[in-house]
Amino acid sequence: MNRFCVLAILLLLVLSCSNKKETSDNLVSSKYTLLIEKTRDFDSTLVERFNTALAGSGIPKVVKFMYGLEFPEILPGITVFSHQYEPGKSSEALTICFDAVQERFYVLMDRSFDNDFNEMVVGRFENVDEQQAFKLAAVYVYISHHPRMIVCRGADLFLEPRLRHYMNESFVPEPGGYQKEFSNDWWAWVAFPSANNEYRRFYDTYSDSISEAAFVRDIPKGTFGVPTVTKKGIYYEVVFYGLPIDGSNEVNRYSVRVAMNGRIHDESVETAYYY
């Protein structure tokens, strides 16, 4: 009888250890993030300058730049605009960028996106390092595919739809001012991959619910993880996972090769997981 009790106690201890709940203290962090800043503070004459320089020949007149996105860590001076054409006009899919340093516009057409993006970054880099390679690849993927966040761990799939509520509850905006913490883009791309202190507080808020979520427990280990950057000859291969903008329940794997001069080569996108 005593032997049975000892075995039972040992079994319970083993089970309790194997089922130990993951905490924010042992979340794996990543050294790669992408800072995205949203701005509405730009020269009001840029619309007229764009129309004068580029409208026509297949590109309709733009009536408004609604806001801009900036990536100050890796492409300072570049603003990526959200634009609105004149009523009743449309165009093939394109992205309008403005380089404040060179005082010129770039139009990135979907059908020639690789070449157009590389034209915009050519001459900016001589020998990119590991961090720059990741940020260049992430900007490329962000503008081209606009994934709404980077995914590093199963809990991220649970936390993502709760992000806006947490942000509104946790941060108090300054009167009359725009606060970057209220941008899902900024928070998701910086906090989710890094598991920083702000992410850990977010995780702790929902830790019990995460541990009870069956779909999180069912994700096989190694399905996805933190971003990686691997040096291969004259290239860096950058791999990270993200959620597509269309809201579908899938995780995409983005793989991009970045040359030492910053040029993008051989980008691929594939579905890594359905949930």
Side-chain angles (χ1 to χ4, degrees):
M1 183 65 179
N2 289 338
R3 182 181 297 175
F4 175 79
C5 289
V6 171
L7 288 174
I9 291 170
L10 288 174
L11 179 60
L12 287 173
L13 286 172
V14 171
L15 289 175
S16 66
C17 290
S18 63
N19 291 331
K20 185 178 179 181
K21 182 174 64 178
E22 184 180 41
T23 68
S24 61
D25 292 332
N26 56 26
L27 290 173
V28 177
S29 298
S30 168
K31 58 184 176 180
Y32 304 112
T33 61
L34 175 65
L35 177 61
I36 302 172
E37 293 186 349
K38 180 181 285 187
T39 181
R40 290 181 173 85
D41 182 21
F42 45 80
D43 188 346
S44 60
T45 67
L46 285 178
V47 170
E48 181 180 353
R49 291 165 63 183
F50 174 81
N51 288 333
T52 300
L54 294 168
S57 302
I59 303 178
K61 284 188 175 181
V62 170
V63 297
K64 185 178 183 180
F65 289 142
M66 293 172 284
Y67 61 85
L69 295 175
E70 298 175 347
F71 310 94
E73 299 168 314
I74 191 64
L75 291 176
I78 295 288
T79 302
V80 181
F81 285 113
S82 171
H83 59 275
Q84 178 182 331
Y85 294 124
E86 59 183 339
K89 300 292 185 180
S90 62
S91 170
E92 66 176 297
L94 57 83
T95 301
I96 298 172
C97 305
F98 181 70
D99 183 343
V101 177
Q102 298 184 21
E103 286 286 313
R104 63 165 292 186
F105 289 96
Y106 291 92
V107 177
L108 314 184
M109 298 281 189
D110 273 20
R111 58 181 163 82
S112 57
F113 190 85
D114 286 12
N115 290 334
D116 295 341
F117 184 88
N118 284 333
E119 180 186 351
M120 187 170 69
V121 302
V122 69
R124 291 175 176 268
F125 305 94
E126 293 182 359
N127 191 18
V128 301
D129 60 26
E130 183 180 304
Q131 284 281 343
Q132 290 174 318
F134 171 78
K135 293 182 190 301
L136 279 169
V139 170
Y140 172 92
V141 169
Y142 185 88
I143 298 175
S144 180
H145 302 287
H146 210 289
R148 60 188 188 270
M149 60 174 274
I150 298 176
V151 171
C152 295
R153 50 195 71 85
D156 295 347
L157 303 181
F158 180 93
L159 292 171
E160 190 270 341
R162 294 157 179 83
L163 174 63
R164 175 61 64 181
H165 173 75
Y166 176 82
M167 297 301 295
N168 288 339
E169 291 292 317
S170 303
F171 293 93
V172 179
E174 298 176 3
Y178 173 76
Q179 199 161 332
K180 66 182 181 181
E181 285 83 359
F182 284 81
S183 163
N184 277 25
D185 288 330
W186 172 83
W187 210 84
W189 281 75
V190 173
F192 274 87
S194 63
N196 59 22
N197 289 335
E198 193 56 58
Y199 177 92
R200 293 175 192 278
R201 284 192 286 271
F202 185 27
Y203 182 99
D204 287 342
T205 300
Y206 295 99
S207 59
D208 290 339
S209 299
I210 293 169
S211 65
E212 296 168 1
F215 83 93
V216 174
R217 294 197 303 268
D218 291 342
I219 299 173
K221 284 190 175 182
T223 300
F224 43 83
V226 296
T228 60
V229 181
T230 306
K231 184 74 182 307
K232 294 187 175 181
I234 62 171
Y235 298 99
Y236 287 101
E237 182 177 52
V238 180
V239 176
F240 61 94
Y241 300 83
L243 301 184
I245 193 173
D246 61 10
S248 56
N249 291 337
E250 62 186 49
V251 180
N252 284 344
R253 179 183 186 271
Y254 301 96
S255 177
V256 183
R257 286 206 304 168
V258 183
M260 301 303 291
N261 62 0
R263 293 179 65 87
I264 303 296
H265 295 261
D266 301 332
E267 180 251 11
S268 67
V269 183
E270 59 184 358
T271 300
Y273 186 71
Y274 292 96
Y275 63 99

